[in-house]
């Protein structure tokens, strides 16, 4: 495989030219997700701002794009959230009030609302916006 991130070289294992990868959909990122990229390849990706730019100015595309990037970069977002929820539930001491996303964060973080229990994408700032 010849891999020059976003340069002019061909990614031979995909059989496509890099100029074709930036279309108006998320095909490029879906292909990247399907591959098990090496740390070296990931390092090349994160220094190119185009990797973090969504192909369309659309909130739905922004959200899907961010989910794909998290997956490509191997960020275990859902596992982190599950761990936070388990820790908060274990520390829940108010048996009179059911726990929910309003109460789990303060239970875990000394009264500070950190929105533990909310879907991780709810508070996500898309990479295209950052």
């Amino acid at each position: 495989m010849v891999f020059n991130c976003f340069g002019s070289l061909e990614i031979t294992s995909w059989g496509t030219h890099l100029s074709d990868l930036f279309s108006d959909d998320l095909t490029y990122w879906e292909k990247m997700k399907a591959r098990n990229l090496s740390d070296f390849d990931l390092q090349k990706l994160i220094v190119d701002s185009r990797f973090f730019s969504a192909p369309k100015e659309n909130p739905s595309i922004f959200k899907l794009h961010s989910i794909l990037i998290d997956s490509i970069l191997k960020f275990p977002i859902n596992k982190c959230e599950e761990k936070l929820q388990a820790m908060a539930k274990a520390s829940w001491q108010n048996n009179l009030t059911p726990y929910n996303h309003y109460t789990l964060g303060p239970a875990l973080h000394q009264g500070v609302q950190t929105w533990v229990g909310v879907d991780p994408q709810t508070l996500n700032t898309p990479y295209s916006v950052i």
Side-chain angles (χ1 to χ4, degrees):
M1 172 172 93
V2 179
F3 187 76
N4 189 15
C5 197
F6 299 112
S8 60
L9 298 178
E10 180 178 274
I11 298 178
T12 56
S13 62
W14 291 355
T16 187
H17 287 85
L18 288 166
S19 60
D20 298 331
L21 293 176
F22 289 96
S23 62
D24 63 350
D25 61 22
L26 294 170
T27 304
Y28 170 77
W29 291 271
E30 290 166 349
K31 286 181 179 181
M32 296 298 281
K33 180 184 174 191
R35 301 187 53 80
N36 187 17
L37 297 175
S38 70
D39 289 344
F40 177 78
D41 291 338
L42 292 173
Q43 288 172 357
K44 288 189 158 254
L45 284 175
I46 63 173
V47 297
D48 193 311
S49 62
R50 291 176 291 174
F51 176 67
F52 295 100
S53 298
K56 285 186 179 181
E57 292 287 324
N58 176 307
S60 296
I61 295 291
F62 285 169
K63 180 177 178 179
L64 294 172
H65 175 254
S66 291
I67 291 170
L68 284 168
I69 288 179
D70 287 345
S71 181
I72 293 165
L73 297 179
K74 303 172 187 172
F75 292 157
I77 304 298
N78 290 332
K79 287 183 181 181
C80 291
E81 181 60 32
E82 289 168 11
K83 185 174 182 176
L84 286 170
Q85 286 183 41
M87 291 168 58
K89 289 174 185 177
S91 68
W92 184 251
Q93 297 176 9
N94 186 344
N95 295 328
L96 301 175
T97 307
Y99 54 79
N100 56 41
H101 65 274
Y102 293 108
T103 58
L104 287 175
L108 184 61
H109 298 111
Q110 296 78 40
V112 176
Q113 180 56 274
T114 56
W115 300 109
V116 172
V118 174
D119 181 281
Q121 293 304 317
T122 301
L123 302 175
N124 179 17
T125 300
Y127 290 104
S128 289
V129 176
I130 298 175

